[in-house]
Amino acid sequence: MGTALLTDRYELTMLQAALADGTADRHCVFEVFTRRLPSWRRYGVLAGTGRVLELLADFRFDAEELEWLGRERVVDSATLEFLAGYRFTGDIRGYAEGEVFFPSSPVMVVEGTFAEAVLLETLILSVLNYDSAVASAASRMTSAAAGRPCLEMGSRRAHEQAAVAAARAAAVAGFAGTSNLEAGRRYGLRTIGTAAHAFTLLHDDEEQAFAAQVASAGPGTTLLVDTYDVTRGVERAVAIAGTGLGAVRLDSGDLGVLAQEVRGQLDSLGATSTRITVTSDLDEYAIASLAASPVDSYGVGTKLVTGSGAPTCGMVYKLVAREGASGTLEPVAKASTSKTSVGGRKSAARLLDASGRAVAEVLLNGSDLDGIDPASLDPAGASLRPLHTTLATGGVVEERWTGSGGVLTAAARHAASREELPRGARRLSTGDVAIPTMSRDLH
Amino acid sequence: MGTALLTDRYELTMLQAALADGTADRHCVFEVFTRRLPSWRRYGVLAGTGRVLELLADFRFDAEELEWLGRERVVDSATLEFLAGYRFTGDIRGYAEGEVFFPSSPVMVVEGTFAEAVLLETLILSVLNYDSAVASAASRMTSAAAGRPCLEMGSRRAHEQAAVAAARAAAVAGFAGTSNLEAGRRYGLRTIGTAAHAFTLLHDDEEQAFAAQVASAGPGTTLLVDTYDVTRGVERAVAIAGTGLGAVRLDSGDLGVLAQEVRGQLDSLGATSTRITVTSDLDEYAIASLAASPVDSYGVGTKLVTGSGAPTCGMVYKLVAREGASGTLEPVAKASTSKTSVGGRKSAARLLDASGRAVAEVLLNGSDLDGIDPASLDPAGASLRPLHTTLATGGVVEERWTGSGGVLTAAARHAASREELPRGARRLSTGDVAIPTMSRDLH
């Protein structure tokens, strides 16, 4: 299926007017950034970049779509003709997927004619806003889990295709597996899951259900032990699977107390290597509160796929510079009071202190970091890590950011970038963003 | 693209174990319901039913998918063989799309063998949870708008395919149009939108931008007047388009104050029929607060597509009855403390008083309303409106619920059901659900 109609109507009506008055060919720079983070977040996590690039390849208006646009009189025939031949031929650069971001970070920059760049607005924002919302929440969860595996199980609480993207975004932020099969197939993610309460209830009693599951999946499986009574469930689980039982899952009740009891019971039964996995409306705070409990892994659903309180990122796609009547590129910005943005083509870098710790997000005028004298940086010994990388050139996408390889690269980028942040950045409580954003030499 | 892999892995591992021990053929009744509503909601709105039925047609495991499942050892070869021939042949009934619901309302009931019914869990919940979250928020917005049109503009703040579903769900709850072109094409929705700030900034000045837009779209267009200065913007808009200007859009600032000023200005310029549309992080509360302002329509984005504080519905898909060893259907339910559900196959009806006003949600044991003596109902003169309708029989979907016709039917159903609720149901503040849910004659 093509992706070109996943677009707001006004992108096409603007195109029509611009084609008619000749401004459609003006060279433009559009920037994606967010104005603020949720009050309880110290950093955001960029995700979806690889998906944007994958979807760009299918951003074509096919005959059926053009026919519909014409029949509905969305645009005139000159515009339909333009759309029929539409291919994005511009350049896209931006933060590498998985990178952390802050207010005003130019996470993606699209350059091309107005005509070709304006059409991408809706699709780019849809992808980055959702995927980054999930990754930003996921990063706090993997951080709170402090090395214990987090498993994504939220498919049923998100739109069926958003669920696939959520599984991918969670992987970018360090999740170890997903329940979503399509995400497994599409992005090479590890898939997980054994049984629901329905499986136990299907059988005449819990013994029969456990026996059937162990017979089918082997004793290394995870048995869900809370359908009737947890203590009886654990007893039956070990009786049937033996002390080599892989894991038990707890999906209700006071998980901290229960995990403690179940751990004691498992150990007393000799099942000392049987793991305990917990699921049940977990979020980053619940995960943190279980840090001292004998829990081996966390299954997270609803709160992950809905961004744990921030289901979208508020990223915008703003024209920051365009060719004027004179033919030169000029910075532009909306002047209204509450939604200011900074015009001009920018580059970005992370200012690191001598020990490699992030100190500030630096936005620089122009498109590269040339001409910055390291000695001019404060604090002494500081360096700038460039944040913009090439994503597409002349409309041709760099494949290294896409597919399952792209997800692995993004996960590595996220781990490194998070590690670089000041220690306080991983606190869960409300507070300031981890590092300030500074503008240098901007118009 | 097929939809069968939009599924949690455990559905398949349960299937494998059930196929092996013979329980896969047991006749099962799965029920979709939610345990609670958000504290500030008095009713929920069911949406997505038509989409579930559309997606069911593509729920097939194709060769490539089977190959992947085999290669990844998700299931064994006997299960792969079952999946290769999989077609849902059971029955689905439920609330009509657009119907309001309450805690425990059995909004969808799937009956079939365990094997065929369990596989649909993830997809059904994904669709109903997201679409109903959006429709439930949308209904409060159209209610607060009190007849003024609400327009959906949230595509950029949701996953790119979720955005299409959101536009559809908003239409179910009374929205008058959407910015999303694919939603327009797929479901016959009216699409809207004229220009963004980028279009004004693209031009050398606001006059040129307005002139280009009016030349392209005619004076009946909507001009966005807040890129620089609203008062100058309105002045220019009328100077260029004439007093026949269709509308002006305000996208920032204190919209109530601004709308008042702009209305006065438009009237003084003779543009008395030019409408004012407002957009800018609106939700149901902001819409309600503008009730006394001269606003003609509301464009809603972020808060709509993210469910205005409740981005998912918490609907679950629970086994409530299944054929036991004896071959008879027996009610089942999980017994753990915090997540109880009521077992047994149920039917549902809305109890209406003599004036036709909703009084209670009644869950009845069994699958129909036969044998209820009207004289036994309280209050006197009350009647029961059955809530379950047939959605699919023997795997064959009833087409009347799908496509653009299904959306129109659902919108009509929603309007009628909302009208039937007690007056207090439309308050926006925190409080009890509009009507209680009662169980009659349940096991």
Side-chain angles (χ1 to χ4, degrees):
Chain A
M1 198 199 91
T3 58
L5 284 196
L6 300 170
T7 295
D8 287 319
R9 179 177 169 131
Y10 76 7
E11 319 291 4
L12 269 63
T13 52
M14 287 191 279
L15 170 66
Q16 173 178 309
L19 285 171
D21 83 343
T23 52
D25 287 334
R26 289 185 169 191
H27 187 81
C28 286
V29 182
F30 284 91
E31 195 179 278
V32 178
F33 63 94
T34 186
R35 293 192 178 92
R36 66 193 74 84
L37 296 179
S39 61
W40 63 93
R41 296 261 176 88
R42 295 192 153 67
Y43 62 91
V45 179
L46 180 67
T49 309
R51 290 214 305 120
V52 165
L53 300 178
E54 289 162 11
L55 292 167
L56 192 59
D58 297 318
F59 200 97
R60 306 282 161 83
F61 293 86
D62 66 23
E64 198 195 330
E65 290 165 343
L66 293 167
E67 193 274 325
W68 181 81
L69 291 170
R71 184 158 37 97
E72 294 288 315
R73 298 173 185 274
V74 174
V75 286
D76 62 20
S77 58
T79 308
L80 289 176
E81 201 172 308
F82 174 89
L83 295 176
Y86 178 80
R87 300 288 182 276
F88 179 71
T89 63
D91 300 334
I92 306 180
R93 63 199 161 84
Y95 285 30
E97 185 164 5
E99 185 58 80
V100 300
F101 67 84
F102 303 94
S104 300
S105 294
V107 295
M108 187 174 280
V109 181
V110 178
E111 294 205 31
T113 65
F114 178 78
E116 64 184 352
V118 77
L119 290 182
L120 302 181
E121 176 178 27
T122 312
L123 185 64
I124 287 177
L125 289 179
S126 287
V127 173
L128 297 185
N129 270 324
Y130 181 68
D131 293 22
S132 300
V134 174
S136 298
S139 177
R140 284 160 57 91
M141 293 167 179
T142 55
S143 182
R148 292 174 177 171
C150 290
L151 306 167
E152 190 280 309
M153 303 178 169
S155 294
R156 63 192 56 195
R157 301 299 173 89
H159 177 278
E160 70 277 10
Q161 293 291 343
V164 183
R168 182 186 177 283
V172 168
F175 269 60
T178 175
S179 64
N180 190 289
L181 289 169
E182 180 63 18
R185 186 176 69 136
R186 210 180 288 175
Y187 302 112
L189 306 183
R190 177 185 161 225
T191 59
I192 50 93
T194 56
H197 295 110
F199 185 76
T200 300
L201 295 172
L202 169 68
H203 288 81
D204 297 302
D205 55 43
E206 199 174 42
E207 280 92 344
Q208 290 185 23
F210 286 178
Q213 188 178 328
V214 171
S216 172
T221 192
T222 299
L223 290 171
L224 178 59
V225 292
D226 69 344
T227 303
Y228 302 108
D229 175 81
V230 172
T231 306
R232 295 292 310 280
V234 170
E235 196 179 298
R236 285 175 184 138
V238 176
I240 289 164
T243 55
L245 173 63
V248 294
R249 178 160 76 96
L250 303 172
D251 184 46
S252 50
D254 182 334
L255 297 172
V257 172
L258 219 48
Q260 202 76 51
E261 284 179 18
V262 168
R263 181 73 270 156
Q265 189 186 357
L266 286 169
D267 290 348
S268 76
L269 292 167
T272 53
S273 61
T274 298
R275 296 178 306 281
I276 298 175
T277 187
V278 295
T279 57
S280 187
D281 285 335
L282 296 181
D283 61 11
E284 61 266 49
Y285 306 103
I287 291 170
S289 77
L290 290 166
S293 300
V295 167
D296 298 285
S297 62
Y298 303 98
V300 191
T302 307
K303 288 298 175 67
L304 175 68
V305 301
T306 59
S308 200
T312 187
C313 275
M315 283 186 194
V316 293
Y317 184 87
K318 291 294 166 192
L319 183 65
V320 294
R322 56 106 183 95
E323 200 181 336
S326 66
T328 59
L329 199 69
E330 299 162 357
V332 294
K334 187 180 175 220
S336 77
T337 47
S338 62
K339 290 183 177 174
T340 45
S341 52
V342 182
R345 184 199 263 148
K346 298 177 210 59
S347 182
R350 194 144 301 145
L351 182 68
L352 308 174
D353 67 15
S355 71
R357 188 71 65 184
V359 178
E361 190 85 335
V362 186
L363 309 188
L364 300 118
N365 188 41
S367 58
D368 61 48
L369 304 181
D370 292 349
I372 306 275
D373 176 6
S376 74
L377 298 175
D378 177 41
S383 59
L384 287 173
R385 179 164 71 81
L387 292 167
H388 276 167
T389 184
T390 301
L391 302 171
T393 308
V396 180
V397 163
E398 300 214 355
E399 301 292 341
R400 62 187 167 134
W401 307 117
T402 65
S404 52
V407 177
L408 291 174
T409 303
R413 177 69 266 156
H414 179 62
S417 292
R418 188 172 72 178
E419 196 57 34
E420 193 183 72
L421 291 176
R423 285 251 167 75
R426 294 170 77 158
R427 277 181 300 159
L428 297 178
S429 54
T430 294
D432 291 337
V433 295
I435 56 173
T437 301
M438 306 176 350
S439 292
R440 274 179 73 109
D441 189 24
L442 289 169
H443 288 298
Chain B
M1 199 199 90
T3 57
L5 284 196
L6 300 170
T7 295
D8 287 320
R9 179 176 168 131
Y10 77 6
E11 318 291 4
L12 269 63
T13 52
M14 288 191 278
L15 171 66
Q16 173 178 307
L19 285 170
D21 83 344
T23 52
D25 286 335
R26 289 186 168 190
H27 186 81
C28 286
V29 183
F30 283 92
E31 195 178 277
V32 178
F33 63 93
T34 185
R35 294 193 178 92
R36 66 193 74 84
L37 297 179
S39 62
W40 63 93
R41 295 262 175 88
R42 295 192 153 69
Y43 61 92
V45 179
L46 178 67
T49 309
R51 290 215 306 120
V52 166
L53 300 177
E54 290 161 11
L55 292 166
L56 192 58
D58 296 318
F59 200 97
R60 308 281 163 82
F61 294 85
D62 68 23
E64 198 196 331
E65 291 164 344
L66 293 167
E67 193 273 326
W68 181 81
L69 290 170
R71 183 158 36 99
E72 294 288 315
R73 298 173 184 276
V74 174
V75 286
D76 61 20
S77 59
T79 308
L80 289 175
E81 202 172 308
F82 174 89
L83 294 177
Y86 178 80
R87 300 287 182 276
F88 179 72
T89 63
D91 300 333
I92 307 180
R93 63 199 161 84
Y95 286 30
E97 185 165 4
E99 185 58 81
V100 300
F101 67 84
F102 304 93
S104 300
S105 294
V107 295
M108 188 174 280
V109 182
V110 178
E111 293 204 33
T113 64
F114 178 77
E116 64 184 351
V118 77
L119 290 182
L120 302 181
E121 176 178 26
T122 312
L123 185 65
I124 287 177
L125 289 180
S126 286
V127 173
L128 297 184
N129 271 324
Y130 180 69
D131 293 22
S132 300
V134 173
S136 298
S139 177
R140 284 160 58 90
M141 294 167 180
T142 55
S143 182
R148 292 173 178 171
C150 289
L151 307 167
E152 190 281 308
M153 303 178 169
S155 294
R156 61 192 58 194
R157 301 300 172 89
H159 177 278
E160 70 277 10
Q161 294 290 343
V164 183
R168 181 186 178 285
V172 168
F175 268 61
T178 175
S179 64
N180 190 289
L181 289 169
E182 180 62 19
R185 186 177 68 136
R186 210 180 287 174
Y187 302 113
L189 307 183
R190 178 184 160 226
T191 59
I192 50 93
T194 56
H197 295 109
F199 186 76
T200 300
L201 295 172
L202 169 69
H203 288 82
D204 297 302
D205 55 44
E206 199 174 42
E207 279 92 345
Q208 290 185 23
F210 286 178
Q213 188 178 327
V214 170
S216 172
T221 192
T222 298
L223 291 172
L224 178 57
V225 292
D226 68 344
T227 303
Y228 302 108
D229 175 82
V230 172
T231 306
R232 295 292 310 278
V234 170
E235 197 179 297
R236 285 174 185 138
V238 176
I240 289 163
T243 55
L245 173 63
V248 294
R249 179 159 77 95
L250 303 172
D251 184 47
S252 50
D254 182 334
L255 296 173
V257 171
L258 219 47
Q260 202 76 51
E261 285 179 16
V262 168
R263 181 73 269 158
Q265 190 185 358
L266 286 168
D267 289 349
S268 76
L269 291 168
T272 53
S273 62
T274 298
R275 296 178 307 281
I276 297 175
T277 187
V278 295
T279 57
S280 185
D281 286 335
L282 296 181
D283 61 11
E284 61 266 50
Y285 306 103
I287 291 171
S289 77
L290 289 166
S293 299
V295 167
D296 298 285
S297 63
Y298 303 97
V300 191
T302 307
K303 288 298 177 69
L304 176 67
V305 302
T306 59
S308 200
T312 187
C313 275
M315 285 185 192
V316 293
Y317 183 88
K318 291 295 167 192
L319 183 65
V320 295
R322 56 104 185 97
E323 200 181 336
S326 66
T328 59
L329 198 69
E330 299 163 357
V332 294
K334 188 181 174 220
S336 77
T337 48
S338 61
K339 290 184 178 175
T340 45
S341 53
V342 182
R345 183 198 265 147
K346 297 176 209 61
S347 182
R350 195 144 299 145
L351 182 67
L352 307 174
D353 67 16
S355 72
R357 188 71 64 184
V359 178
E361 191 86 335
V362 185
L363 309 188
L364 300 118
N365 188 41
S367 57
D368 61 49
L369 303 181
D370 292 348
I372 305 277
D373 177 5
S376 74
L377 297 175
D378 178 41
S383 59
L384 287 173
R385 179 165 71 81
L387 292 168
H388 277 167
T389 184
T390 301
L391 302 171
T393 308
V396 180
V397 162
E398 300 214 353
E399 300 292 341
R400 62 187 166 134
W401 306 116
T402 64
S404 52
V407 178
L408 290 174
T409 303
R413 177 69 267 155
H414 179 62
S417 291
R418 187 170 73 178
E419 195 58 34
E420 194 182 72
L421 292 176
R423 285 252 167 75
R426 295 171 76 157
R427 276 181 301 157
L428 297 178
S429 53
T430 294
D432 291 337
V433 295
I435 56 174
T437 301
M438 305 175 354
S439 291
R440 273 179 75 110
D441 189 24
L442 289 170
H443 289 298

